[in-house]
Structure formats: C-alpha cells, structure tokens
Amino acid sequence: MGQMTNSITIVEYNEGLAKGIAKMWNLSRDSWGGDKKVHTEESVKAKEASSENIILYLAMDGDEVVGYCSLSEYKDDTGSLYIPLLNVRPDYHGKKIGKVLVLKAVEKTVELGWPRLDLYTWPGNVKAVPLYKKCGFFWEDRDDSTHLMNFIPAVLNTPLLKPLFSKLNWYKNSIREIKVKPDGLKERGFTFYEYVWKNEHSFARVRFERTGRGISFIETADYLLELVLSDHEVIEEETRRFEIRFVNKSKRPISLKVKGNQHERAKFILNEELIVVESTVISGDVVFLKGEEPSLWKKHPYLSVNVLVNGEECELRLGVFPKQPAKITAKLDSLLSYIGKEECIELEMENNLRENAEYEICFSKNNHVQLKNDIYQISLKKAERKLVKVPLVVNKFGFYQPHLQCKAIKEDGSEIIFEDNHTGIAFKGFGEKFGGESKDYWHIYNGLYQVNIRKMDYLTTAGRTQTFTQPYAFFVPKLGKPFSTEFSKLKPENVEWHADNSGITITLTFQSKEYDGLFLSLYTTLFAEGLVKRWVTIENKGEKSYSQLFLNQSFYHEKKHCFFPLENEVVEFSEGKYLEFGDIPPNSITGNWYFSNDKEGPIGFSWSNEMKVNPNSWQFQLENELCSLDYGEKKEIEPCYLSIGAFRTWQEQEAFAKQQSQEKQTRTKSELAFLLTENSPITSNSEFVSFQLKSFRTNYLNGHLDLKLNDERIQETAILEAEEKREYEAQISIKNNAAVSILTSSFTDDSKEMEFKQLLLKPTGEVHSYTEDTDHLPSYILDNGVIKIKASPEFYPGIYSLALKEQEWLDSSFPNLIEKSWWNPWAGGLKTVPSKINTFSLLKESSSAEFKDVEDINGNRWRSLALHTKITENAHWKGLQYTQYFALLPGIPVLAYFVSVDNAGGNSLIGDTWRTDLFIKGDTLEDLSAFTKGAKKFHVGMEEQLLFLEDGSFISSQSRKENMYLVNCADCKIAEGYMNKDAFQVNYVQKAKKLTEPGFIFFDQRSLSKAILDQLRQIEFQI
C-alpha cells in the first residue's frame, strides 16, 4: 500500500520504476554539482540489483518518480541502518517530500528493531541539514566527513521510554535549536547529543553519548537517571570509578534495579536492587582491558548497565577511549633497505596520562637490527608528543617488530608497566618476501612493493612506498542479494601468511553470521613485479544449502589518463578531466581490463570474463553468480589483478588480461571522438565524406558543432540534449577539395570547447610506373604527379631518390658507392633491412624490383615499387626472402613504406628487428633544420648531434615551402636522427614480423600536429 501526502505517494522500488528513476536523476543533476552523467533504465536496474539496500522508497506523483530514499545496513559500524542516497527532483523542492522520505526511513528502522540510523552529507548542504536535524539527526563533529546519527529508533524501542511516546509526538513535540553546524554538548571529554520533548501532557529529555552510541541520561517529569564516568579517555588496566545517579521527582517510591552488562573490554561487577524515595547514587569500579585502539568510524568500547525503573527496562551506556599510558608509533622513510647500512626509525611518543611523566622504553633483542641504544628515556608533559630518533644497522630483511617493555613514572613516583608488541617496521629488499602486523594493518611485502590491509574495515591498498593512503583500493567482498556489508564489521577467524617461489599471500577467513555455515576466505598475493592477485573461496560447512547466492567485489581508483575497452574500441580518456567509473555506460565495456597513467606510475586492472561488470559511481563492481552452494561444497572465484607498474602500457595490460603472448597495436579513440565513417583519412568517394561525433561517456551530446574545411566554414549544427544522442552523423561535400585538406570541427557545450582536426586525402589522377637507364643502370621510377621515387636494385636495395615537385630530398651517392664520414661503403637513400647485417653483407645478396599494386585494409589501391631481396650469404639470415614496398597514391604527397617477409628461410623473427634508415638533404645540408618534440629547432650540418625524433618531428628547408613530416611506424622502438658536417641520417628500429607496420613520409606547407599525423597510422596494408 502507498502512503499519501497530498498528491505524493510513497512506494517501494520495483524494476518497472527504473525508467522513472533514471529520468528523476537526469533532471536532478544541478542538485548534485551539475554533472552531465546520463542515467538510463538499464543503468538504474544494474545499480539497484548490485546495491546493499534493504528497501528503497520512491516518492511518486502519478507515474513520475520525484523522490528517492534508499535504506541499507551501515557498513562502517555495527548497530545501525543507513541512508546511502536521498534525492528530491528540483522541481518538487519545497513540497516536504524529503521530510516524508526521511521519516519513512526512520519508521522502517524502528519497525526492524535497529537502534540507529546514519547518513552522510556535505557541510554546504544547508537546505538538507535542518531537515535532517528536525528528523532527529545529530551532526558529528569530525574532520574527515560530514556524518549524522539519528537515535530516535533507540528512543522509541526502549521499553522505559515507550509509555512517554503514547503522550508525546517525537517529531512535533521536539524542542531543539536548529543550527547548520556540528552538534554536541562536551563534558569531561565526552560528547553528548540531547533530545528534548515537551507538550501539555508530558516531558522527556534523553542524552546519547557519541562514541558508545547509547543512552547515558534520561529525565522525565517523574525521575532523572544518569550514568557518569569522570573521563572519556581512560588508561588500559587502570581502575575507574563510575556512578549511576537516580533522582525520584515523583511523590511515589520508585523501584530501581541495576545490573552490569559485561562487554568484551569492560570488566566490572554490578547488581543492585532498591526502592528510591528521593535520590540515590550507585557506585562501582570498572577496568578496561587491553585491546585495539578505537576508531572514530566505529562504536568504542563502552560501559553498559541494564536499568529497570518500576519494571520498565533501559540500557545506559558510555563509550570510552582506552589508551596505553603512551601512544607509540614507529615510522621509516625508506623505499629499500640495505644490509649493513645505518637507518633511523622515527618513534612518535605521546603522553596519554593526565600528568607529566618520565618514560623508559626498552627494545628487545632482535636479529633484524643492531641498535645503537636499547633503552631510551623521554620526559613528556601532559598530552605532549615528542619525536625520538632510533638509529640502527640493518642485519636482515623482513618485518622488524620488537617487543617494547615500557615504564611510565608518574609525578608521585608510582610506576605503570606496559608493553607494545605492534610497533612494526619493514626492511624491504630485492627478492625479499615477508609479512607482518602493525597496530592498524596487516602487511605483505615483495621486493619494492607492499600490500596493506586495514584492520578497521579490511580496505586493501598497494604501492611501492610505505604510504598507506593510495589512489586505489579493494573493498571487502559482499554476499547477497541484497548484498550484506557484514564482513567489513566481522573480525576474521584466521589471518595467515604464506610465501612461495613466485609471491607472498595473505589470507583472511571470515565466518558469516547472516549465512549460517558459510566461510569466506579472502586471498591477496603480491608478486615482485608489482602485480597483486585477489581472489575468494566460499565454503559451506553448515547444514543448510544455499541457492541464488551472489558475490560482489568492489574496487576504487582515482584514475588519470585512462584507457578502457568500450564498444570493441580502446577509448582514451582525457588527462585533464576526471573519469568516474559511473561515467562509463556499463553495457559498453567489451574487455576485461582498463589502464591508467597515474601520477605515481602506470596502474592496470583486469578481471575474469565470468564476472559481471557494474561501473557504479566511484566504485567498480564485479559480480559472480554462485548459483547453489550445498553442504560441504567449496567454490573458488576467478581472480582479478591489480598492476602497480607491472605493465607499462595499455597494450601490455590488454595482452595480459586476454592472456595473449603478443601485444595488439590497436588504435585508440578519444572519449569525445570525431570519426570518419571509413576510419581512414583516404576518401574513397570523390563527392562527399561521412563523419560521426561520438561520446563514450554516459552524457548526451549537447552543444554547437562548427565545421571548417581548410579554414573555411562549411557547416554549423546545434545538437540538443533533448535529442538523447551520444552519436551524431552527417556528411560534407568534398567535390572541390584539394588533394590534401584539413577538416576542423569545434564542439562547444556549456562547460568546454573541444577542437578536432581531421586529415582528408583525396586521390586524383594516376600513378605512373616505368623504367629507364640512368648512368648505365636500370632505374625503376614511380611518379604520382607530386612525388617521384627511384630505385635501382643493381646499385643498392633501397630507393635512391625522393623528389617532391622535382626537388630532391634524399641524399644518395647513386650511381656509385662511396666512402662518406663514418660509412664505407655508403649509398644513402631510404631502405629497410633486418638487424645483424651490415652494408658489406647486404651488397653480397641479390635484389630485384617490380611494380606492384597493393591494397590497404579499407580497399584503397596503391601503386608500389617492390624491392625483393634474397639472403644467401649472410650466416644469420640465410634463406630469408623479403620485399620492401614503397607505395604512392595518385596526387597525394605521401610515401608509405613497409616490409613483407616472403620466406623466412627457417629463421625465427622473434627477438629480432627491422632497421630503416634514410639520408636527407636539401639544396645543401646546411639548408635543413630538424624540429623535434616541443618544436625545438636544430640546424643541420653544423656539428655532430644525436636527436630523438619522436612523433610529430619534421624537417624543413630554407629554400622550400613544404615540410617533410616523418611518421614512423606504430610499433617503432627507436627513432633517432644523427647529423654531422657531412650527412644527416634518420634511423628507425621496429619489431621484426612477417608484415611490418608502415611508416610514412608526408609533405605539406602547413604546421601539422602530432594528432593529425597520427591519422596516417590508420592506414594498414594487406599483402
């Protein structure tokens, strides 16, 4: 049944409402910072199916979803439900829909018997904070988050207080000053949150203590009841006095029974029963035992007493912060340690006593180190912190965890003896694998790398440094559906370390409370190369079989310059704009990996193809359907892998994820891409060219597209978000285009402007091929009307002439071999040869030439000059037959060159390379300048220099209008330019394979960017 609020109905979620929810989120963007992320029916269904929600309430106005309030179990602490997300559509603000949804969540929390309801917001949410406070929430005063807690469910479910609320309305009769700032009454180190209700019939005042999350004080018209401790911070093992104060304000005697509730760290005895006429104080002593330091995120150890007032029960509770007399923390700023070398540990010492004290710290003997001093004495004032330097010499790699025997001498001369066994330091070394445990973490180390598992919630980070905070992390797995957060709050049954020849593994085993008999083991293996393997096993040791069981694993990563396999393309996301996982349409992911060039180094992630992927907001979720799990059955989930530098490029990451032995040289697409339909700069149609503007993010296109052809505007188009397009397609006329054109497209939306430049090559005319005798040697000549190339295999297996409009660009000795500078013999020109063969050996082999038509993968026909070489003399390459192709299109100033192996002759190409060299000249050598990355200009022929000719490099001549652009092959390993006063040589080295990636020489008068020149690499040949 729905709940009516005027015209608004509150209903529970079902998949039939997913489309309406998507619309609500899309219309609510401005309430959440104005992002352009688009929600769809499918994305909403995926998100809700993988959620932890117990229930999801929706506010409906007819068929329109106008409000959203989810309710789940709180993952960061026990004893609470949680509102993960609350939203009201902006055009429905002011109609009190948010209040109705929050009250519905409070009502459900009471109904389910939970004592508390939590939520997070942001400090600037000034509209919502008063609403939350009016609905019973208190804003916790913390630096790390804006966290609110609501104790109304505990009030309404406490038997002692229930009768009061038959006369009081907890919402309408609340008396509270609402301020948009953190709440809390601070006394003796405690923080209290106070509710007051009053009407003409009744009165109540109830306080909750912040860290114990329980009632500490109740006042009504009939009595006052309070649990009191002198201090919130207590010293472990030290006896503390507590009091229960009761004041009878009625005129009748009141029966009072008080009994202590034993908590795992609070040890005391209390059992009192009495009749109170006026007032009483019941006192007792409590000792808080040693244990882990409490977290601000979780309920603290507490003192709890059960009280019956005239037979009506309530629990009083005070949380405390148990501490040792001094807090000791050890740190080492070192990436690697070295045996026999001195290191210095920094020891932070903080006095937790409420007075000045003298401390003595005694280090136990340990074979990892040789200490200069075993005993340190430190004077600390009340609450003072000092840094103590502990010099030592490293004797052994591993986790150094000394036993610290400590003594605190108080002002009156009395002593407190305590010890510390969780001060740990890692001495890392190459090839060294070990694990360890510190106060807050479990660790594994392998060489330079380490993995840290936080004890508080089992958040797992990895990295090279000792820093625990990293931009990526694994969350603890969840079972469901709905998915439970229980493992983030349970203590593991067992923690084990195991090392083998390849890596070191830490295993955490949990026993589920919600799925009786199920044990989940979480394995994390660290390899020395910087690879983290993460997987799970689930075993049923109970008597019950389970069906429809799912496992959810989540990962967090603050990515930068990311590569994702989407729609069977590799999409490159901007270095400048942050990519949230939720920006990626879930159905578009077509690979099992992604890669990111983070600031600290390359990060990659891969997962099993068996896993269902859900990129949800800032989390990347992986889901496995386990189906049934019978008694005695154990299932192992396929692993996922985090690379923290193991793979340097996205190609390596992809090859690993696909378990391929070779990297695939796939071209990438931009996240907002301007694409030619033919996927090539060569236009096969002489009349028009088709293009597509496409967004690979979830947002729809919304802006103005302006097209210019060679700087002349040819088209303007408005693309509206209401059209719900991620792709826009159109055509432009190229009927009167030149052979080489630049199509510039500018797309402007509300927040950015992006410009794309597309190279268009329009072949016209023919390529003429013929032979002639030149200086008594036969020459093979290819002429496309712009470029003319010449080769003579009897002279040398390469082209000796490359002329643009009759102006020569190659330096050659044709028709005779000569001695030149470092080279003897020297022929110059342009050639590609296998490695491990020099010029003398090459000239012993036979070469021939022919003209041959070749096609690229788009079906464009090129005319080529093919130079065939057969190796019969060289011992390493004997039997190899290969062909160099030098290819031209009619009328286009571009030369493509590549190599095909016709017969390997029994030789393996693995591990070998092809070497391309060309010698360049203008009218004179000094006429040339080389421009390298960043437009740095180097004059040729002046001195000996070695240049790195990265992508985008070009050669200019003082006497020529055109620049010579050198576009090396996609898999080029080395690109260098060597010059001296005699010659200018360009060298490329690429991987040897049967058909090499083509390189290009391109001529144009304009200044062309690397992005434009890279488009030539879309051209691939098939032989």
Side-chain angles (χ1 to χ4, degrees):
M1 293 292 292
Q3 174 181 325
M4 294 297 299
T5 305
N6 298 325
S7 63
I8 304 300
T9 306
I10 306 300
V11 302
E12 295 180 17
Y13 167 78
N14 64 71
E15 283 198 341
L17 298 171
K19 187 174 182 179
I21 295 173
K23 179 180 178 181
M24 176 208 69
W25 286 122
N26 291 334
L27 292 174
S28 301
R29 294 192 195 113
D30 288 345
S31 298
W32 297 87
D35 74 74
K36 297 295 184 181
K37 194 183 291 109
V38 173
H39 300 263
T40 65
E41 181 179 5
E42 291 72 25
S43 67
V44 169
K45 286 179 179 179
K47 176 183 179 297
E48 299 305 335
S50 64
S51 76
E52 302 153 6
N53 293 339
I54 296 170
I55 197 167
L56 169 57
Y57 291 116
L58 302 173
M60 306 291 298
D61 186 0
D63 294 332
E64 293 284 307
V65 178
V66 298
Y68 179 106
C69 181
S70 51
L71 188 65
S72 68
E73 187 175 337
Y74 187 38
K75 70 180 180 65
D76 291 328
D77 196 8
T78 58
S80 181
L81 293 186
Y82 172 60
I83 298 178
L85 209 50
L86 176 70
N87 182 67
V88 175
R89 222 170 75 178
D91 52 332
Y92 280 80
H93 286 183
K95 299 181 183 294
K96 302 190 182 300
I97 294 171
K99 182 187 84 170
V100 173
L101 288 168
V102 172
L103 293 180
K104 190 70 176 173
V106 174
E107 177 187 319
K108 190 66 176 181
T109 307
V110 174
E111 177 189 325
L112 295 174
W114 289 81
R116 198 175 88 242
L117 178 63
D118 287 29
L119 62 80
Y120 289 93
T121 187
W122 60 97
N125 194 8
V126 292
K127 289 183 180 179
V129 169
L131 161 67
Y132 296 146
K133 291 192 175 189
K134 183 64 177 172
C135 290
F137 286 90
F138 291 99
W139 180 351
E140 192 178 10
D141 190 3
R142 283 165 52 173
D143 292 329
D144 57 355
S145 63
T146 305
H147 177 234
L148 294 94
M149 296 185 285
N150 190 326
F151 300 99
I152 292 297
V155 172
L156 299 182
N157 283 326
T158 296
L160 179 60
L161 298 173
K162 279 185 178 181
L164 290 167
F165 289 93
S166 63
K167 302 175 183 178
L168 290 167
N169 182 299
W170 73 263
Y171 182 82
K172 293 180 180 179
N173 297 139
S174 174
I175 300 172
R176 183 176 173 188
E177 185 179 8
I178 304 297
K179 294 183 178 180
V180 185
K181 67 176 186 177
D183 297 301
L185 306 170
K186 300 186 185 299
E187 298 176 5
R188 309 182 306 280
F190 293 97
T191 299
F192 298 102
Y193 302 122
E194 183 172 282
Y195 293 108
V196 179
W197 299 275
K198 187 176 182 181
N199 63 17
E200 63 273 19
H201 305 293
S202 192
F203 161 80
R205 185 158 66 107
V206 180
R207 282 186 182 178
F208 284 80
E209 191 276 320
R210 171 186 177 185
T211 60
R213 313 313 204 211
I215 297 171
S216 64
F217 174 97
I218 298 173
E219 183 182 8
T220 71
D222 293 331
Y223 59 84
L224 183 150
L225 174 64
E226 184 177 18
L227 176 62
V228 179
L229 268 170
S230 59
D231 292 288
H232 181 246
E233 294 184 356
V234 299
I235 302 300
E236 294 174 343
E237 307 287 343
E238 187 175 83
T239 301
R240 307 296 297 171
R241 195 76 172 162
F242 68 87
E243 293 180 350
I244 299 166
R245 299 171 182 171
F246 187 83
V247 177
N248 184 350
K249 297 164 64 177
S250 72
K251 297 179 180 179
R252 302 175 302 278
I254 294 178
S255 168
L256 184 67
K257 293 183 180 180
V258 181
K259 185 177 181 180
N261 296 320
Q262 294 300 315
H263 181 261
E264 59 181 5
R265 289 185 66 179
K267 298 303 176 185
F268 68 108
I269 297 174
L270 179 65
N271 194 351
E272 299 279 349
E273 184 175 347
L274 64 159
I275 301 296
V276 181
V277 177
E278 293 183 353
S279 65
T280 188
V281 175
I282 300 171
S283 301
D285 292 326
V286 61
V287 172
F288 291 93
L289 303 181
K290 296 177 182 177
E292 294 179 1
E293 184 173 291
S295 165
L296 193 63
W297 292 79
K298 293 180 180 288
K299 187 185 302 174
H300 284 205
Y302 53 82
L303 174 67
S304 170
V305 295
N306 207 51
V307 180
L308 276 78
V309 179
N310 286 336
E312 297 292 347
E313 184 181 11
C314 81
E315 180 198 14
L316 295 183
R317 184 188 295 178
L318 278 176
V320 295
F321 198 129
K323 295 183 174 183
Q324 289 190 325
K327 181 178 180 179
I328 304 172
T329 305
K331 296 181 181 179
L332 176 67
D333 185 17
S334 176
L335 182 63
L336 281 173
S337 295
Y338 303 91
I339 301 298
K341 297 295 183 179
E342 185 173 300
E343 301 266 17
C344 188
I345 293 175
E346 292 186 346
L347 209 64
E348 291 179 355
M349 287 279 299
E350 184 175 357
N351 185 10
N352 290 330
L353 298 176
R354 288 174 290 279
E355 59 183 276
N356 301 342
E358 299 288 330
Y359 286 92
E360 182 178 277
I361 309 296
C362 180
F363 284 76
S364 63
K365 299 292 183 182
N366 188 292
N367 61 359
H368 283 93
V369 302
Q370 178 64 49
L371 293 167
K372 287 195 173 181
N373 297 300
D374 295 338
I375 299 175
Y376 289 84
Q377 294 178 332
I378 308 103
S379 297
L380 291 173
K381 297 177 182 178
K382 177 182 175 182
E384 185 183 11
R385 180 190 299 168
K386 281 186 178 180
L387 192 65
V388 180
K389 302 244 182 185
V390 181
L392 52 83
V393 174
V394 179
N395 291 337
K396 179 183 175 183
F397 296 116
F399 198 75
Y400 172 50
Q401 195 164 25
H403 171 75
L404 299 183
Q405 189 66 39
C406 309
K407 179 167 61 176
I409 306 171
K410 301 169 75 174
E411 290 178 327
D412 62 2
S414 61
E415 298 180 352
I416 302 176
I417 305 298
F418 63 102
E419 59 187 25
D420 187 309
N421 292 313
H422 290 294
T423 298
I425 290 292
F427 297 123
K428 298 192 293 184
F430 286 114
E432 299 295 328
K433 302 184 287 285
F434 55 90
E437 178 181 359
S438 59
K439 282 186 176 71
D440 301 318
Y441 292 87
W442 293 291
H443 312 271
I444 51 175
Y445 301 86
N446 197 340
L448 284 170
Y449 299 92
Q450 66 186 71
V451 169
N452 312 298
I453 301 180
R454 191 166 66 185
K455 294 178 179 178
M456 181 181 79
D457 54 8
Y458 317 114
L459 185 81
T460 303
T461 59
R464 283 162 52 99
T465 67
Q466 304 276 11
T467 304
F468 297 139
T469 302
Q470 298 288 352
Y472 38 83
F474 291 100
F475 297 96
V476 70
K478 295 174 283 191
L479 287 174
K481 296 178 177 179
F483 289 112
S484 167
T485 60
E486 64 165 336
F487 295 126
S488 66
K489 293 170 283 189
L490 292 176
K491 289 191 178 299
E493 300 290 310
N494 194 30
V495 180
E496 292 181 337
W497 290 263
H498 171 72
D500 57 25
N501 291 334
S502 60
I504 181 166
T505 301
I506 182 171
T507 308
L508 277 65
T509 301
F510 299 90
Q511 181 177 2
S512 174
K513 304 301 181 188
E514 298 185 18
Y515 294 89
D516 187 46
L518 292 193
F519 286 77
L520 182 145
S521 294
L522 177 61
Y523 299 85
T524 307
T525 299
L526 176 63
F527 300 97
E529 296 80 6
L531 189 67
V532 179
K533 177 183 177 182
R534 175 94 159 187
W535 79 103
V536 171
T537 63
I538 302 171
E539 185 174 6
N540 188 351
K541 296 182 180 181
E543 300 178 354
K544 178 182 177 181
S545 294
Y546 292 92
S547 61
Q548 295 299 307
L549 197 62
F550 293 82
L551 178 77
N552 178 289
Q553 300 181 78
S554 297
F555 179 74
Y556 162 74
H557 184 189
E558 294 179 359
K559 304 163 294 301
K560 183 181 180 183
H561 193 196
C562 197
F563 297 81
F564 249 100
L566 305 178
E567 300 181 30
N568 298 310
E569 305 280 2
V570 176
V571 179
E572 181 177 2
F573 287 87
S574 168
E575 292 185 66
K577 183 179 179 181
Y578 180 71
L579 175 70
E580 193 175 72
F581 285 123
D583 291 325
I584 301 168
N587 295 335
S588 71
I589 299 176
T590 50
N592 63 330
W593 62 275
Y594 78 82
F595 185 82
S596 176
N597 285 312
D598 286 11
K599 183 179 179 180
E600 299 298 325
I603 300 296
F605 189 62
S606 61
W607 56 91
S608 165
N609 285 315
E610 301 300 316
M611 296 174 175
K612 181 181 177 181
V613 176
N614 181 25
N616 184 1
S617 185
W618 52 276
Q619 292 188 39
F620 195 76
Q621 298 181 338
L622 302 171
E623 183 181 297
N624 289 86
E625 184 175 358
L626 306 179
C627 298
S628 62
L629 193 66
D630 297 328
Y631 166 70
E633 189 177 3
K634 183 177 181 179
K635 289 191 175 181
E636 181 172 317
I637 309 302
E638 288 289 318
C640 51
Y641 294 89
L642 171 68
S643 165
I644 42 177
F647 306 116
R648 300 171 303 161
T649 65
W650 68 261
Q651 291 94 337
E652 290 182 3
Q653 180 68 51
E654 179 186 40
F656 172 76
K658 293 182 175 180
Q659 298 186 11
Q660 295 174 338
S661 58
Q662 294 186 2
E663 304 166 30
K664 185 179 178 183
Q665 296 298 324
T666 309
R667 311 290 185 256
T668 63
K669 297 286 191 296
S670 172
E671 62 173 275
L672 181 63
F674 186 87
L675 307 169
L676 296 183
T677 304
E678 294 184 7
N679 201 30
S680 169
I682 304 169
T683 60
S684 59
N685 189 309
S686 61
E687 298 291 326
F688 61 86
V689 64
S690 300
F691 69 89
Q692 179 187 70
L693 181 68
K694 180 170 184 175
S695 171
F696 284 95
R697 290 185 184 247
T698 58
N699 57 287
Y700 293 132
L701 296 172
N702 182 37
H704 184 83
L705 180 63
D706 185 16
L707 298 179
K708 294 179 181 179
L709 192 60
N710 297 325
D711 296 328
E712 181 181 341
R713 180 173 282 106
I714 59 171
Q715 193 176 109
E716 291 182 86
T717 306
I719 309 172
L720 303 179
E721 186 178 31
E723 299 173 34
E724 297 188 355
K725 291 181 178 179
R726 290 196 184 92
E727 302 175 10
Y728 171 79
E729 297 180 352
Q731 292 181 341
I732 59 169
S733 173
I734 57 168
K735 186 174 182 180
N736 300 316
N737 270 31
V740 178
S741 298
I742 303 296
L743 175 62
T744 303
S745 58
S746 299
F747 184 71
T748 306
D749 62 19
D750 294 338
S751 61
K752 64 183 180 300
E753 180 176 343
M754 297 188 70
E755 185 177 82
F756 309 91
K757 289 185 179 292
Q758 176 64 51
L759 181 66
L760 296 179
L761 304 178
K762 183 181 176 182
T764 53
E766 296 181 5
V767 179
H768 300 282
S769 53
Y770 56 94
T771 61
E772 66 179 21
D773 285 340
T774 308
D775 292 320
H776 308 293
L777 289 176
S779 289
Y780 290 75
I781 302 170
L782 211 58
D783 186 349
N784 73 351
V786 182
I787 288 179
K788 182 187 292 186
I789 61 172
K790 298 179 182 180
S792 178
E794 292 185 18
F795 164 65
Y796 196 67
I799 62 172
Y800 68 81
S801 173
L802 168 59
L804 176 74
K805 300 175 183 177
E806 305 300 329
Q807 290 184 307
E808 182 62 58
W809 281 86
L810 290 186
D811 191 5
S812 170
S813 67
F814 180 84
N816 300 309
L817 297 170
I818 64 172
E819 176 186 349
K820 187 167 188 172
S821 188
W822 304 108
W823 301 275
N824 186 19
W826 179 80
L830 165 63
K831 72 176 186 304
T832 300
V833 297
S835 62
K836 302 171 185 173
I837 187 168
N838 62 26
T839 304
F840 280 112
S841 292
L842 187 62
L843 290 171
K844 294 176 184 177
E845 312 298 349
S846 62
S847 295
S848 62
E850 66 173 320
F851 299 112
K852 198 170 183 180
D853 287 337
V854 295
E855 282 192 357
D856 61 34
I857 58 174
N858 290 94
N860 299 299
R861 186 175 295 275
W862 298 60
R863 187 66 169 161
S864 78
L865 196 168
L867 288 176
H868 308 294
T869 301
K870 182 176 181 180
I871 307 292
T872 58
E873 301 296 326
N874 182 270
H876 181 80
W877 288 110
K878 190 173 184 179
L880 174 69
Q881 298 178 39
Y882 68 93
T883 300
Q884 301 175 69
Y885 291 90
F886 303 92
L888 297 174
L889 286 170
I892 305 297
V894 62
L895 170 69
Y897 57 91
F898 58 97
V899 173
S900 172
V901 175
D902 307 313
N903 187 342
N907 294 286
S908 171
L909 301 179
I910 296 174
D912 274 302
T913 57
W914 292 102
R915 294 183 293 109
T916 298
D917 67 355
L918 65 150
F919 288 83
I920 305 172
K921 74 170 185 179
D923 292 342
T924 64
L925 194 62
E926 294 80 6
D927 185 45
L928 300 178
S929 295
F931 290 80
T932 63
K933 186 177 181 181
K936 294 178 180 176
K937 183 177 181 180
F938 296 88
H939 297 291
V940 178
M942 300 299 162
E943 62 175 314
E944 186 177 53
Q945 298 184 80
L946 182 64
L947 308 180
F948 298 108
L949 300 179
E950 299 183 35
D951 293 344
S953 299
F954 65 93
I955 312 301
S956 72
S957 168
Q958 293 179 17
S959 59
R960 303 175 188 185
K961 295 179 180 180
E962 291 84 6
N963 297 319
M964 173 191 260
Y965 288 95
L966 305 174
V967 183
N968 52 44
C969 53
D971 60 351
C972 182
K973 298 180 180 297
I974 297 174
E976 295 177 340
Y978 171 78
M979 64 180 73
N980 59 25
K981 293 187 176 183
D982 298 316
F984 178 27
Q985 181 191 34
V986 173
N987 291 292
Y988 297 125
V989 177
Q990 69 184 116
K991 184 178 180 179
K993 50 188 178 182
K994 187 171 177 60
L995 181 64
T996 67
E997 302 283 340
F1000 302 91
I1001 297 175
F1002 182 66
F1003 295 94
D1004 200 272
Q1005 297 181 22
R1006 289 164 288 198
S1007 177
L1008 302 180
S1009 67
K1010 173 183 177 298
I1012 293 176
L1013 296 170
D1014 276 350
Q1015 293 165 25
L1016 289 170
R1017 289 178 173 167
Q1018 295 173 344
I1019 302 169
E1020 298 179 34
F1021 291 91
Q1022 45 194 10
I1023 300 297

